[in-house]
Amino acid sequence: MNKTTFAHGQLKSIVERIERLEEEKKVIAGDIKEVYAEAKANGFDTKILRKVISLRKKDAAEREEEESMLDVYLAALGMIPGAGEEAA
Amino acid sequence: MNKTTFAHGQLKSIVERIERLEEEKKVIAGDIKEVYAEAKANGFDTKILRKVISLRKKDAAEREEEESMLDVYLAALGMIPGAGEEAA
Amino acid sequence: MNKTTFAHGQLKSIVERIERLEEEKKVIAGDIKEVYAEAKANGFDTKILRKVISLRKKDAAEREEEESMLDVYLAALGMIPGAGEEAA
Amino acid sequence: MNKTTFAHGQLKSIVERIERLEEEKKVIAGDIKEVYAEAKANGFDTKILRKVISLRKKDAAEREEEESMLDVYLAALGMIPGAGEEAA
């Protein structure tokens, strides 16, 4: 059975610590949103920006391997003009 | 090394099956959205409706246990009027 | 057409600011996870804890209104023992 | 004030329709998961497969524009070997 008799103070401190951290997280999420808005206002494409940021989480070798495998699949499906006939 | 030489037809059939299923899933998601819209138009509170539907996934005993434990925690935090002083 | 000629430094600074903020956000998400793990180790039910925290984002009146409306719906569906026959 | 006096049957029918549709959606989600598992068992890279499927939702022109803009951004950040020095 889960704990139902406990030092109320313990629960209160846990709840308040989580709430403080969630508040901090919310502030940072807001800051991120602001930077994207600033980028957009400066003519950057935020969708491409997000892709760049997610690509930067991978090292160059990983990016290249994924890129080349993607090309193999796209070519097999005839989605790369001139890269061979579509899968029968 | 992942497969990069393969019967193109195999890839095509896998992709097309997934696309068909995703399309079906999208249609049903649309149907669900329509029912909620209909409920709203008929005066139902869709937030409460979603809660009811999620509660119905649990059996009565589970619901009751969760409810009573939640009350213990809320009382310990002084969130139930008259249920004892707040956690020091 | 979206901006493709730009001061590279501007893009770099935007990307690095977002990456720094995302890193901070990830650290805080980790801290939150740790507090929940600590709570669990101390016998608290983390599912109930999450409910408590989400309820604390609402004021008492809002909580009470939702609670009473939920009871009306549950009773109408015969999900509250002794609260009247199920919806025909 | 939201509706709390209503034909119980109406609520019941709405709830049951949503539950039926959610069940159907769950079955299809399971089918999709199975196809990905089958693809994996046949040596396909499911991460690349998901990318292919998301790319196929865009037409060729859209894909090309995104690809070329992404390259501009990556080059500006020095992430494309030999495509010009990194952003100062």
Side-chain angles (χ1 to χ4, degrees):
Chain A
M1 239 298 287
N2 262 311
K3 186 168 178 157
T4 50
T5 52
F6 44 71
H8 294 190
Q10 192 184 15
L11 174 63
K12 191 162 185 270
S13 116
I14 283 172
V15 165
E16 285 170 356
R17 277 162 63 201
I18 290 172
E19 286 176 340
R20 258 197 317 276
L21 287 166
E22 280 194 352
E23 191 46 39
E24 277 178 48
K25 199 173 142 202
K26 210 170 120 192
V27 166
I28 293 177
D31 294 345
I32 292 174
K33 225 173 146 188
E34 263 173 45
V35 179
Y36 274 110
E38 185 192 311
K40 188 166 185 176
N42 279 285
F44 290 103
D45 181 315
T46 52
K47 211 165 62 171
I48 303 291
L49 205 47
R50 285 179 200 280
K51 266 201 187 165
V52 165
I53 284 173
S54 102
L55 283 172
R56 282 168 61 102
K57 287 173 183 147
K58 297 169 188 166
D59 61 43
E62 204 185 334
R63 287 202 306 268
E64 263 151 54
E65 203 208 321
E66 271 186 25
E67 196 67 32
S68 64
M69 211 184 297
L70 184 61
D71 284 345
V72 168
Y73 282 44
L74 295 178
L77 293 166
M79 291 173 65
I80 298 187
E85 83 309 357
E86 212 181 294
Chain B
M1 237 299 286
N2 262 311
K3 186 169 180 157
T4 49
T5 51
F6 42 72
H8 294 191
Q10 192 185 16
L11 175 62
K12 192 161 185 273
S13 116
I14 284 171
V15 165
E16 286 170 355
R17 276 162 64 200
I18 290 172
E19 285 175 339
R20 256 195 320 273
L21 288 165
E22 280 193 353
E23 190 46 39
E24 278 178 46
K25 199 174 141 200
K26 210 169 118 193
V27 166
I28 293 176
D31 295 346
I32 292 173
K33 225 171 144 189
E34 263 173 44
V35 178
Y36 274 110
E38 184 193 311
K40 188 169 185 176
N42 280 285
F44 289 103
D45 181 315
T46 51
K47 212 165 59 172
I48 304 292
L49 205 48
R50 287 179 198 281
K51 266 199 188 167
V52 165
I53 285 173
S54 103
L55 282 172
R56 282 168 60 102
K57 287 172 182 147
K58 298 169 187 166
D59 63 41
E62 204 185 336
R63 286 201 306 268
E64 261 151 56
E65 202 207 322
E66 271 185 26
E67 197 67 31
S68 66
M69 213 184 297
L70 184 60
D71 284 345
V72 169
Y73 282 44
L74 294 178
L77 293 166
M79 291 172 65
I80 298 186
E85 83 308 358
E86 210 181 294
Chain C
M1 240 299 287
N2 262 311
K3 185 168 180 158
T4 50
T5 52
F6 44 71
H8 294 189
Q10 193 184 16
L11 174 62
K12 192 163 184 268
S13 116
I14 284 172
V15 165
E16 286 171 354
R17 275 162 64 200
I18 291 171
E19 285 175 338
R20 257 195 318 275
L21 287 166
E22 282 193 351
E23 190 47 38
E24 276 178 47
K25 197 173 144 203
K26 210 169 119 190
V27 167
I28 293 177
D31 294 346
I32 293 173
K33 225 171 148 188
E34 262 173 44
V35 179
Y36 275 110
E38 185 192 312
K40 187 167 185 176
N42 279 284
F44 289 103
D45 181 315
T46 50
K47 212 164 63 171
I48 303 291
L49 204 47
R50 288 180 198 278
K51 268 200 184 170
V52 165
I53 285 173
S54 101
L55 283 172
R56 282 169 60 101
K57 288 174 184 148
K58 299 169 187 167
D59 63 41
E62 204 184 334
R63 286 202 304 268
E64 262 151 54
E65 202 207 322
E66 271 185 25
E67 197 67 30
S68 66
M69 211 184 297
L70 184 61
D71 284 345
V72 168
Y73 283 43
L74 295 177
L77 294 165
M79 291 171 66
I80 296 185
E85 84 306 358
E86 210 181 296
Chain D
M1 238 301 285
N2 264 311
K3 186 167 179 159
T4 51
T5 52
F6 42 72
H8 295 189
Q10 191 186 17
L11 175 62
K12 192 163 182 270
S13 115
I14 284 172
V15 165
E16 285 170 355
R17 276 162 64 198
I18 290 171
E19 285 175 337
R20 255 196 319 276
L21 286 166
E22 280 193 351
E23 191 46 39
E24 276 178 47
K25 199 173 141 202
K26 210 169 117 192
V27 167
I28 293 177
D31 294 346
I32 292 174
K33 226 172 145 187
E34 262 173 44
V35 179
Y36 274 111
E38 184 193 312
K40 188 167 185 176
N42 280 285
F44 290 104
D45 181 315
T46 51
K47 211 164 62 170
I48 303 291
L49 205 48
R50 286 180 198 280
K51 268 200 186 168
V52 164
I53 284 172
S54 100
L55 283 172
R56 282 168 60 103
K57 289 173 183 146
K58 299 169 187 167
D59 62 43
E62 205 185 333
R63 286 202 305 268
E64 262 150 55
E65 203 210 323
E66 271 186 26
E67 196 68 32
S68 66
M69 211 185 296
L70 183 60
D71 284 344
V72 169
Y73 282 45
L74 294 178
L77 294 166
M79 290 171 64
I80 297 187
E85 82 307 1
E86 211 182 292

